[in-house]
Amino acid sequence: MKELSLNILDIAKNSVTAGATLVEITVTETPARLTITVSDNGCGMTPEFVARVTDPFTTTRTTRKVGLGIPLLQMEAQMAGGDLSIESEVGKGTTTSAWFDPGHIDMPPLGDLNSSILTLIQGSPDIDFLFTHSIGERSYTLDTREIREIMGDISLAEPEILAWLGDYISENESSITNPT
Amino acid sequence: MKSLEELKALREQMQSKMNVRKDDNETIRVVVGMATCGIAAGARPVLNAFMEEVNKRGLKNVQVTQTGCIGVCRLEPIVEVFVPGQEKVTYVKMNAEKVPAIVAQHIVNKQVVTDYTIGAAE
Ligand SMILES: Nc1ncnc2c1ncn2[C@@H]1O[C@H](COP(=O)(O)OP(=O)(O)OP(=O)(O)O)[C@@H](O)[C@H]1O
Ligand code: FES
Ligand SMILES: [Mg+2]
């Protein structure tokens, strides 16, 4: 993938496929480590299955034998001084974490997080997303449950709402990247 | 800084025009393949470009949606367009630059952009 935000989009889509109603996405940056965590309350996996998903010859999908998303992120993390781990419980949910050494020469760029979050909301407007991005001490959160409470039965995929969310995210992104 | 208060005003504004949507049997659907290989090949900017173009033109009868694997990795990003009463059209090796032509010619004027279809690529 060109940027980590695309991996985040891809891994969060696994949670959507797993039937989650709440997907928590956390990006935590410190000088020594960048960590991405995607946590869901979807169907979960058995321990045996978790052991196999990092093997690129596993997938439950029928159209193609190879699941790509997790092995790809794991490979990228390992190439940049980190790794990937999955904690999962059937019927409870899954937490997938990947971490990186931001100073590593093969550290991929984080890229356009805003676009990935909007793409997730547009694709699954009935699922809730809790997105947190922190850089050192500074952080912000977007919780679609709060948005939904205000908007009532209006779909979060409406262009006006997506536009507002996009502005909200970019304002908050710049406030944590370039504090005044 | 944007506050959630602003959303309340947005809601009032939207509620007053929610009923102008057309009914389902007139809806044109644009479906973007967003499995891992689609995303890696550039599906995200393609999806965004469709939403932007549809929005800019105020096309209320077009629905842009996402799906998983469409099945032909080497032709990703893939987009399927469903115009009611017509056969599905599959566009392949998509990028954001191709989107305005598809919206203008196919979605608005009902003329398939043959050069970008799976038929032309095969
Ligand atoms: N959050 C999750 N909850 C439940 N099962 C999961 C979750 N994430 C992954 N899986 C399981 O692991 C498999 C492999 O995931 P992976 O993302 O590597 O490939 P894929 O989603 O099947 O296909 P691709 O990502 O290539 O489009 C999935 O098919 C699914 O069965
Ligand atoms: S995995 Fe490539 S088209 Fe589906
Ligand atoms: Mg996947």
Side-chain angles (χ1 to χ4, degrees):
Chain A
M1 298 266 183
K2 286 204 200 80
E3 33 180 87
L4 286 176
S5 68
L6 293 173
N7 297 96
I8 294 173
L9 170 60
D10 181 47
I11 297 298
K13 274 184 170 287
N14 286 344
S15 300
V16 172
T17 309
T21 56
L22 176 64
V23 183
E24 295 178 46
I25 301 168
T26 308
V27 177
T28 307
E29 298 183 63
T30 68
R33 185 179 267 207
L34 184 149
T35 308
I36 293 166
T37 307
V38 177
S39 201
D40 68 57
N41 61 356
C43 65
M45 293 173 265
T46 62
E48 299 73 42
F49 199 82
V50 171
R52 283 161 53 209
V53 284
T54 48
D55 169 346
F57 294 97
T58 303
T59 188
T60 53
R61 219 175 45 204
T62 48
T63 41
R64 190 176 44 89
K65 293 216 175 54
V66 187
L68 278 183
I70 291 170
L72 192 64
L73 179 57
Q74 179 170 41
M75 190 191 72
E76 289 173 24
Q78 287 172 346
M79 280 170 51
D83 208 343
L84 174 141
S85 77
I86 300 176
E87 270 174 57
S88 191
E89 199 180 327
V90 172
K92 282 214 153 156
T94 302
T95 298
T96 305
S97 308
W99 57 96
F100 299 77
D101 171 3
H104 199 284
I105 185 162
D106 287 320
M107 177 69 204
L110 199 44
D112 190 353
L113 284 172
N114 193 337
S115 181
S116 285
I117 301 303
L118 293 185
T119 301
L120 284 167
I121 296 172
Q122 197 267 345
S124 314
D126 298 328
I127 293 180
D128 281 308
F129 294 94
L130 175 58
F131 175 62
T132 305
H133 186 186
S134 61
I135 302 177
E137 302 282 285
R138 303 181 299 276
S139 79
Y140 76 92
T141 292
L142 171 69
D143 186 345
T144 59
R145 288 171 299 189
E146 289 174 6
I147 314 291
R148 199 180 302 286
E149 201 176 288
I150 297 171
M151 297 319 282
D153 55 4
I154 301 179
S155 165
L156 300 190
E158 290 293 335
E160 293 91 336
I161 301 184
L162 291 174
W164 189 90
L165 291 171
D167 290 345
Y168 179 86
I169 296 170
S170 53
E171 270 191 18
N172 279 284
E173 280 293 322
S174 35
S175 82
I176 64 168
T177 26
N178 319 301
T180 42
Chain B
M1 211 56 161
K2 297 197 98 54
S3 73
L4 295 180
E5 281 301 308
E6 287 173 23
L7 274 176
K8 293 184 182 154
L10 185 61
R11 181 189 61 199
E12 307 303 320
Q13 213 180 314
M14 288 174 73
Q15 269 168 344
S16 59
K17 59 183 183 89
M18 277 322 267
N19 42 9
V20 297
R21 306 254 151 193
K22 296 225 179 126
D23 52 35
D24 267 0
N25 50 14
E26 285 179 37
T27 301
I28 298 172
R29 287 197 308 129
V30 176
V31 181
V32 182
M34 301 270 295
T36 302
C37 82
I39 294 173
R44 189 184 67 184
V46 170
L47 176 87
N48 287 341
F50 270 108
M51 293 194 309
E52 212 170 280
E53 201 62 26
V54 163
N55 229 344
K56 206 161 70 187
R57 290 170 165 269
L59 304 174
K60 294 291 176 211
N61 62 331
V62 181
Q63 204 184 9
V64 181
T65 59
Q66 305 174 28
T67 188
C69 168
I70 299 183
V72 203
C73 299
R74 73 200 155 78
L75 299 177
E76 293 278 354
I78 301 180
V79 174
E80 296 177 329
V81 177
F82 299 84
V83 176
Q86 293 180 18
E87 285 225 24
K88 166 181 92 176
V89 176
T90 304
Y91 291 109
V92 300
K93 297 189 178 171
M94 282 295 297
N95 58 44
E97 287 70 51
K98 292 179 176 177
V99 170
I102 293 174
V103 174
Q105 293 170 44
H106 189 173
I107 293 175
V108 177
N109 290 327
K110 310 290 184 284
Q111 299 291 317
V112 175
V113 187
T114 318
D115 286 355
Y116 302 161
T117 58
I118 191 160
E122 294 288 53

